[in-house]
Amino acid sequence: MSITTTRSFQCRCGEPLEVTVADSLNAGRHPHLRDALIAMELHRFTCEACGATTLVDTPFTYFDHERKQLFLVLRRGDLASEAEGIARLAELYKVTFGEAASPGVQALGAGMMVRLCLGVLAVRDKVIADEARLNDLVLEELKCQVLASYPELALHAVVALWLDRVTADELVLLAESAHAAEHRVVHVPRAAYDALLERGAQALLASRPELVRGPHVSMLRLGLR
Ligand SMILES: [Zn+2]
């Protein structure tokens, strides 16, 4: 099942809004919530007073039995450290698939993709990448190389690149800027991903080990303290 709660927040115009958000999203049972996440409509609300839309950045768990995915989505600002997020995910895994669970459910946990995601764009990125059968470590390395080799991104104070869609020829990334609300679209040839995949995830990890810490696989780690 999916679990929802009502949250109160204030629109930029000052209007108080009551919204329903998912604390726990079961993508298998509620595929429309997964669709909403991919469409960037999940937790996006429109203010009746001023018409502005706001994406409510809220923590939630994301589970997909069929696709074998367990993601914990947290806000970076809520965490004292990355280690705290990793510990919370370990606890979630233990409660869900650990000793307290039935043997069948424990077996389900084996081979599951388990990831810590900082923010809704991070979990959306993992869902899209996994659907396209991309290796997320290879993808994160690709993002680092794109950031280093597309000079126009430096001008826009890009803090993160997020996978938006994958076609036969290219990966389309969204560049999140520290200044602008709008994301710039970056087109990367699929061949660039394939070349990195050819080198192999282990070789990439050996040359840039800071991309991964346990279940946290992200270019954001390069800026984490
Ligand atoms: Zn408003």
Side-chain angles (χ1 to χ4, degrees):
M1 57 189 256
S2 297
I3 300 167
T4 59
T5 47
T6 303
R7 294 254 162 79
S8 305
F9 80 102
Q10 199 171 36
C11 177
R12 277 163 293 180
C13 75
E15 183 76 3
L17 296 176
E18 290 243 305
V19 300
T20 303
V21 297
D23 283 337
S24 169
L25 192 163
N26 185 324
R29 298 265 176 85
H30 300 116
H32 68 282
L33 293 178
R34 179 179 184 273
D35 293 344
L37 172 67
I38 292 171
M40 271 202 232
E41 294 298 325
L42 184 74
H43 298 161
R44 184 182 293 281
F45 302 97
T46 302
C47 172
E48 288 177 7
C50 74
T53 64
T54 305
L55 188 68
V56 178
D57 189 13
T58 179
F60 64 99
T61 61
Y62 181 99
F63 174 63
D64 193 324
H65 172 181
E66 193 74 15
R67 295 180 179 85
K68 294 186 82 68
Q69 297 163 340
L70 177 67
F71 303 142
L72 177 60
V73 187
L74 298 174
R75 289 179 295 208
R76 198 163 161 173
D78 289 348
L79 294 172
S81 66
E82 180 192 32
E84 182 196 338
I86 291 172
R88 284 171 60 177
L89 177 52
E91 183 62 26
L92 172 69
Y93 184 88
K94 196 172 125 193
V95 168
T96 314
F97 300 108
E99 285 170 16
S102 70
V105 173
Q106 286 185 37
L108 188 64
M112 183 156 286
M113 182 182 185
V114 179
R115 293 289 186 271
L116 174 66
C117 301
L118 299 184
V120 71
L121 286 175
V123 67
R124 178 177 180 267
D125 177 294
K126 295 295 181 195
V127 168
I128 294 169
D130 202 37
E131 184 73 20
R133 299 274 177 267
L134 300 186
N135 176 296
D136 65 339
L137 169 63
V138 175
L139 174 62
E140 296 306 309
E141 172 63 25
L142 177 67
K143 292 176 186 175
C144 291
Q145 298 200 3
V146 167
L147 257 191
S149 59
Y150 287 52
E152 68 273 21
L153 294 179
L155 300 173
H156 290 275
V158 170
V159 292
L161 292 168
W162 304 110
L163 184 64
D164 187 52
R165 59 185 188 276
V166 183
T167 71
D169 304 323
E170 64 178 13
L171 277 63
V172 180
L173 305 176
L174 298 178
E176 181 181 352
S177 162
H179 309 316
E182 287 291 304
H183 297 127
R184 286 175 70 87
V185 178
V186 184
H187 297 267
V188 180
R190 171 80 191 215
Y193 172 86
D194 291 339
L196 289 177
L197 186 66
E198 187 80 12
R199 279 176 57 195
Q202 286 312 313
L204 299 179
L205 187 58
S207 64
R208 212 191 294 265
E210 62 270 36
L211 276 175
V212 179
R213 181 174 174 191
H216 192 203
V217 182
S218 174
M219 66 172 288
L220 290 181
R221 295 210 66 254
L222 276 67
L224 283 177
R225 294 289 172 268

